[in-house]
Amino acid sequence: MKQYNTEIIAVGTELLLGQISNTNAQWLSEQLAAYGVNTYYHTVVGDNLSRVEQIFNQAHQRSDIIIVTGGLGPTQDDLTREAFQQLSHMEITEHKPSMDKIIDFYNRQEKEMTLNNRRQARVFVGAKVIPNTVGMAPGMIVTFESKTWIFLPGVPREMKQMTINTALPFISELMGEQMIIKSKVLRFMGIGESQLEHELQTLIQTQDNPTVAPLAQNDGVVIRLTAKASSSEQAETLLNETKQNVLDKVGEYFYGMEHDSIQDTILSMLNKQNKYIGVAESLTGGMFADKLISASGASSACRGAIVCYDTSVKTNVLQVSTNTINSEGTVSSACALEMAANVCQVLDADIGISFTGVAGPGAVEGQPVGTVFIGISSTCGKQKVEKFLFEGDRNTVRRRAMLKGFELLYHFIKV
């Protein structure tokens, strides 16, 4: 099977200005990968004729399939056709079925159509026209000097409809025998990207199918495994074998797959154990509970939370001993454990987790900024408390404490 080098070009100044995100390229790459098509370049270019033409020339030299989104609309800054005409010298004509559809739309809306809307019905002579069932401008597939050019609107729902209905089947037929590319995402917590890469160094360096790629994210680290095979079953086998090799080395940090979140995983574990959790938060101020409750079905395992930022709330609501506070302080392991144990009683929970510490701007009770104590207690008598010193500004300390709480809780309830 011939391999086709593919690239995606997005036309639109609004993309360069950051007014909208280039989600089209991401979506297209995912769809192409499922068909075994390698995408080597993503390019964004503004609405400038000479620059669009320059990018088109570059793409024509290096790629076999070029997919262009945007620049097919009715205004003067929609220049995709004009730029490609400069490259190909192909004739442009008005596509009557598309023009009839546009006219019919305005008639049904009882609105007068401005003349510039005729621009949207223009296509290259000899092009395979892609009908637009949810919008105005048609797409096109053009063969020029043995290269395939696919022109699609920039509006995502129009682009997706044309891609699924026409562009992908065309590409599949063009390629002949189809290769399958499948991926799995493994999610880890409690290990940094550099350490994860170090632990998997030999596997990463020697594995080419599937490939192993560690990626840092806000809530931990993921590894993306990507396999290429002639069948879905063969790709799945390759992925499962490599997944096991990864887990043999760093399985203690693994908590989920694909779109699993740590809060989803923890709630699922609590449900299986028929247990409820209660939360007591001082420095995190409700961040942990907010993230936990963001998961669908949280009410099945979470009783609630108490934000006990002031000392009086710790003593009056959570019933933390004044002796503990006077002798150990509110920023202490003893206070964290009492908060975790007492929130179980107050909220009728099986497991309690607590957060207390110093987010800044200054030290508290002689403890430096970044000091955090996280306590976990269960009604069966199991307890755990850990001290951390996090770097960063106030909100960074709070966020890192919240994430560390999820990590500790996961291992606490893991069976």
Side-chain angles (χ1 to χ4, degrees), residues 27-28 31 35 101 128-135 141 150 152 157-173:
W27 185 86
L28 282 166
Q31 305 307 309
Y35 277 73
K101 178 185 174 183
K128 176 181 175 64
V129 178
I130 307 176
N132 189 339
T133 62
V134 293
I141 300 176
I150 301 176
L152 303 169
R157 66 191 184 99
E158 299 178 26
M159 179 276 298
K160 291 178 180 180
Q161 168 261 313
M162 294 186 190
T163 300
I164 292 170
N165 291 351
T166 306
L168 287 176
F170 179 89
I171 292 172
S172 180
E173 185 177 347

Side-chain angles (χ1 to χ4, degrees), residues 346-412:
V346 174
L347 298 180
D348 187 27
D350 303 289
I351 298 172
I353 184 169
S354 68
F355 300 81
T356 184
V358 187
V364 175
E365 299 174 355
Q367 299 278 14
V369 173
T371 302
V372 174
F373 289 89
I374 301 174
I376 308 177
S377 180
S378 71
T379 53
C380 66
K382 183 181 176 183
Q383 289 188 325
K384 180 184 185 67
V385 64
E386 288 201 27
K387 178 183 178 180
F388 304 93
L389 187 61
F390 295 125
E391 303 247 342
D393 61 20
R394 179 178 177 82
N395 285 331
T396 299
V397 169
R398 296 172 65 231
R399 176 173 174 77
R400 293 185 67 184
M402 177 265 292
L403 293 175
K404 182 60 70 172
F406 276 105
E407 177 192 335
L408 295 181
L409 181 60
Y410 171 74
H411 290 292
F412 188 87

Side-chain angles (χ1 to χ4, degrees), residues 10-59:
V11 180
T13 300
E14 66 276 9
L15 294 165
L16 294 176
L17 294 176
Q19 294 171 345
I20 61 173
S21 299
N22 188 16
T23 57
N24 284 350
Q26 178 188 14
W27 185 86
L28 282 166
S29 287
E30 290 176 349
Q31 305 307 309
L32 291 167
Y35 277 73
V37 180
N38 296 316
T39 301
Y40 290 126
Y41 302 98
H42 282 185
T43 305
V44 178
V45 60
D47 300 308
N48 177 281
L49 184 60
S50 63
R51 285 194 286 272
V52 176
E53 183 187 354
Q54 180 183 5
I55 292 299
F56 282 7
N57 270 289
Q58 188 178 57

